[in-house]
Amino acid sequence: MTVVLDRPYEFVPPYRGNLWPTAIQSFRLIDWHLRTKEAVLGGECRNAERFAESLNAGHGIILAPNHCRYADPIVLGWLARQVRTHLYAMASWHLFNTNKFEQFALRRMGAFSVFREGNDRKALETAIDILVSGERPLVLFPEGTTNRTNDILKPLLDGVSFIARSAAKKRAKQEKGQVVIHPVGLKYLCLEDAHEWAHVQLAELERTLSWQPASEAGSIEKLIERLLRVSQAYLALKEIEFTGHASSGELSPRRDRLIEQLLVQAEERYSLEAKPTEDVRERVRKIRSAVSATYFATDDADRDPATFRRDAERADLAQFLLSFPDEYLSPGQITDTRIVETIQRIQEAIFGKAKESLPMKVVIDVGEAIPVPVGRPPRGEADPVLCQLREQLHTMVTSLSQEAKLLA
């Protein structure tokens, strides 16, 4: 669950020294973590000289990658190593609430918290100050969340542009030079045949559902059929859990109906009204904010933690269901990485954690620097900075997706 109800939000600042990040790089601790925990065995940095040029010019730098795996912030350590720098990164508050070791490690690697359920002035000020001082480059994920769809760029949040423009204005007053944004395309590629891996993982999922698993891997068509059956079973279980019964029909409209029902259930409890212009992610954010704010504003004797957790789970599930795009397994577009990602999303749903057991490598492609102007964006128009970032990232993600193995 991404809404933290165990304790009120408290800003976690970044570790400012160089001792720990230097030690982490020197002893190759990120390599060990990626290899043993994420099965990411290597990385290929492309166009790193673009990043190095901005560093040498003394710019305030934002690295803005697409966000498809939990490993994303860590693999950027390979890019940082190549250009001989350390990084800061803004990370969701819930990541600092897993265990004390992870909170310790996150801070030592340069992460600081942001409260996504409210207006976190401290996090914004910290991000802006980092860019103004030019102390280190700052990593901001403009999509906001991760959902294992490496080949599809999700809508970008405008927070990146706000932080960049605010820092550019301060830098200009202090005559410190530019703020620039470097889009970074991340693409994970399978190092081994994914077909047999997928068969083994699907067999485990089928046994979990009390089904007799297939004895052989079969054709790719058979694999897709099994994958869709497992997806339908998971959706039916969630329909029963949250609505009382499983519906019938095609997978896509059933998913969309359940998303709407989950959102409406939570919105009604907190008297939230969804605007026609709001998408699912915006509605989810409002629900999470309402859950957190109401919970901590309610006296201990009057609040039922289970009810609030249930509402937070509704919001999380709605956003999670959104991570199964219709076109991802369309005929002619099925790649080994798309099969792996879809299975891992289902594993996260059923087991709480994906099986990171198929060896992969990551391509880290640095885009051209986008200079950030000092002034505000044109009133009533799309922010040109965000448009340039979206265009570059979309082009990079689309191009990198062609490097995966296409399955017949």
Side-chain angles (χ1 to χ4, degrees), residues 110-408:
F112 60 96
S113 69
V114 61
F115 187 49
R116 296 189 305 185
E117 285 71 54
N119 296 319
D120 191 347
R121 294 177 60 90
K122 198 73 172 178
L124 293 176
E125 290 169 358
T126 299
I128 293 168
D129 289 345
I130 286 170
L131 293 172
V132 172
S133 68
E135 181 183 353
R136 292 183 199 168
L138 173 65
V139 178
L140 297 175
F141 289 97
E143 294 170 286
T145 58
T146 177
N147 60 19
R148 291 187 187 271
T149 48
N150 200 168
D151 295 344
I152 296 179
L153 186 69
K154 299 180 290 297
L156 306 189
L157 305 177
D158 57 9
V160 174
S161 175
F162 172 80
I163 290 170
R165 286 179 178 274
S166 300
K169 184 176 181 180
K170 284 191 172 184
R171 269 204 146 218
K173 287 183 178 180
Q174 299 177 17
E175 299 183 350
K176 287 186 174 181
Q178 285 187 313
V179 170
V180 299
I181 302 175
H182 278 284
V184 180
L186 301 178
K187 175 60 181 177
Y188 294 83
L189 299 169
C190 301
L191 293 176
E192 295 180 3
D193 180 43
H195 199 145
E196 182 60 32
W197 178 90
H199 165 65
V200 172
Q201 306 307 317
L202 282 172
E204 182 180 10
L205 287 166
E206 288 163 341
R207 281 191 291 268
T208 301
L209 294 168
S210 300
W211 295 352
Q212 182 65 35
S215 57
E216 297 179 358
S219 65
I220 184 61
E221 290 80 6
K222 182 64 175 177
L223 203 65
I224 296 297
E225 180 184 329
R226 293 169 64 194
L227 182 52
L228 291 176
R229 285 183 68 230
V230 169
S231 300
Q232 289 172 339
Y234 170 73
L235 182 60
L237 289 172
K238 289 302 172 182
E239 286 175 330
I240 294 170
E241 180 181 358
F242 286 96
T243 71
H245 65 277
S247 62
S248 60
E250 294 294 324
L251 199 60
S252 177
R254 286 174 58 193
R255 175 206 60 202
D256 294 343
R257 282 198 301 271
L258 180 56
I259 289 174
E260 183 64 21
Q261 287 172 311
L262 291 166
L263 294 175
V264 169
Q265 286 173 355
E267 286 167 343
E268 288 178 348
R269 185 183 299 278
Y270 298 95
S271 301
L272 299 173
E273 184 176 348
K275 299 178 182 177
T277 56
E278 289 179 333
D279 62 15
V280 171
R281 293 202 309 165
E282 290 173 315
R283 293 171 68 184
V284 166
R285 186 193 64 79
K286 287 173 63 176
I287 292 168
R288 287 171 172 165
S289 297
V291 169
S292 179
T294 308
Y295 180 82
F296 288 109
T298 305
D299 292 337
D300 292 348
D302 297 329
R303 68 188 181 195
D304 177 14
T307 299
F308 288 94
R309 291 185 186 279
R310 195 64 168 165
D311 292 333
E313 288 171 2
R314 286 186 173 90
D316 284 351
L317 178 58
Q319 183 157 297
F320 175 76
L321 291 172
L322 199 66
S323 71
F324 290 84
D326 297 337
E327 68 273 25
Y328 221 57
L329 296 179
S330 298
Q333 300 183 35
I334 303 172
T335 62
D336 54 355
T337 56
R338 291 189 178 195
I339 292 289
V340 171
E341 289 167 3
T342 303
I343 290 175
Q344 288 178 327
R345 284 200 299 276
I346 297 172
Q347 288 174 332
E348 286 176 334
I350 294 179
F351 302 133
K353 184 178 181 181
K355 301 297 179 71
E356 307 284 5
S357 52
L358 183 70
M360 309 195 84
K361 82 166 191 176
V362 61
V363 177
I364 307 165
D365 190 11
V366 181
E368 296 280 0
I370 300 172
V372 179
V374 173
R376 295 181 178 180
R379 185 182 297 273
E381 297 180 19
D383 188 337
V385 171
L386 208 59
C387 290
Q388 291 181 64
L389 176 59
R390 183 185 299 109
E391 182 178 349
Q392 277 206 53
L393 273 177
H394 180 266
T395 300
M396 296 163 78
V397 167
T398 302
S399 176
L400 288 169
S401 70
Q402 306 304 311
E403 300 188 27
K405 181 182 178 183
L406 188 66
L407 300 179

